[in-house]
Amino acid sequence: MNTTPDDRKEDCCPTKEPREAERDSRSWLGAAGGAIVAGVLASACCWLPFVVIGVGASAAGAGAFFDRWRPVFLVIATVLLLAAFWLIRRQAACDPASSCSTATLRRRRIAHLGLVAAVVIVALSAAYPLYGPALLRRNVVERQSTAGGTALSFRVDGMTCATCAVAVEKELLKLDAIESVRIDHSTGLASVSVTPSNAESEVRAGIAAAVARLGYSSDVTQPQRNASP
């Protein structure tokens, strides 16, 4: 049976004006993009200190600020992802047998793939505090231990996550007197191994200066925390 143009028009899903279709597309894209931004900001407490240190600023303030707002950013990212999903689902669906279904299904498939990509990016960003320190610590190179070295223990205050501890470890290993460093961000306790040919007072002063450059504080200058291996 032959179909008339009117029949074909009725066979199609409801068409939208170009401006309306563009608005719908921008709506879910905006929601997905906002979710990605919120997800990245949720982990800024861990990656931003490295950026701030790179420009010579204090890392402690930036890390503490975003660590305090991390739950809010995670909630915002989740809500925006759900909004993007709803905006995609609310688009008019076509009968699979209709003459217009191919183009419409293609657009919805692209939208769904974009949403999946947004979910993956948000998930990886939000989980960065869990795997980021392990990746960063792979680049930490310690010196070979020397017999007769001294072990110093002290406390570092102001760290918000394990990435902060890695940043301090890297900074301390730049000192010639430091052979190895271990810092627990949850307790703030740090332990370093010092070569025996260096005066302890000078080493402590160097450690205190290095920690301070990152915007953190320490009690390394207090000699009562000294311990021999």
Side-chain angles (χ1 to χ4, degrees):
M1 182 178 67
N2 294 329
T3 59
T4 64
D6 291 338
D7 292 333
R8 288 195 297 271
K9 184 176 181 180
E10 292 178 356
D11 187 43
C12 290
C13 54
T15 58
K16 294 184 176 181
E17 294 295 332
R19 290 183 179 179
E20 185 179 357
E22 184 179 358
R23 184 174 65 251
D24 287 349
S25 177
R26 288 181 177 178
S27 296
W28 79 263
L29 281 173
I36 292 175
V37 172
V40 171
L41 291 178
S43 61
C45 58
C46 291
W47 59 262
L48 187 60
F50 283 93
V51 177
V52 174
I53 292 170
V55 298
S58 171
F65 173 82
F66 284 98
D67 181 67
R68 186 165 56 250
W69 286 91
R70 173 175 166 79
V72 176
F73 286 126
L74 290 176
V75 171
I76 293 175
T78 302
V79 171
L80 288 176
L81 286 176
L82 293 174
F85 176 78
W86 179 79
L87 288 169
I88 293 174
R89 294 292 296 175
R90 71 186 286 266
Q91 296 178 7
C94 293
D95 183 346
S98 70
S99 59
C100 301
S101 63
T102 302
T104 302
L105 290 176
R106 185 184 299 114
R107 286 194 298 269
R108 295 190 69 183
R109 188 176 296 115
I110 293 174
H112 286 151
L113 290 175
L115 180 59
V116 170
V119 171
V120 171
I121 294 174
V122 170
L124 290 176
S125 299
Y128 180 77
L130 301 178
Y131 65 85
L135 295 177
L136 295 172
R137 189 167 274 114
R138 293 172 59 184
N139 298 325
V140 176
V141 179
E142 298 182 342
R143 300 180 179 86
Q144 185 175 2
S145 299
T146 304
T150 302
L152 301 179
S153 298
F154 54 93
R155 182 179 181 85
V156 178
D157 296 318
M159 297 183 295
T160 58
C161 66
T163 308
C164 300
V166 176
V168 177
E169 290 176 0
K170 286 187 172 184
E171 191 69 17
L172 293 181
L173 285 173
K174 293 178 182 179
L175 302 177
D176 294 335
I178 303 299
E179 294 179 334
S180 63
V181 185
R182 283 293 179 271
I183 301 178
D184 184 349
H185 82 279
S186 60
T187 62
L189 296 179
S191 176
V192 301
S193 178
V194 183
T195 57
S197 59
N198 292 271
E200 181 179 322
S201 59
E202 295 180 359
V203 173
R204 288 181 178 275
I207 292 175
V211 173
R213 280 196 298 270
L214 300 183
Y216 305 112
S217 61
S218 69
D219 61 357
V220 66
T221 54
Q222 299 179 11
Q224 64 268 21
R225 289 191 177 272
N226 182 35
S228 300

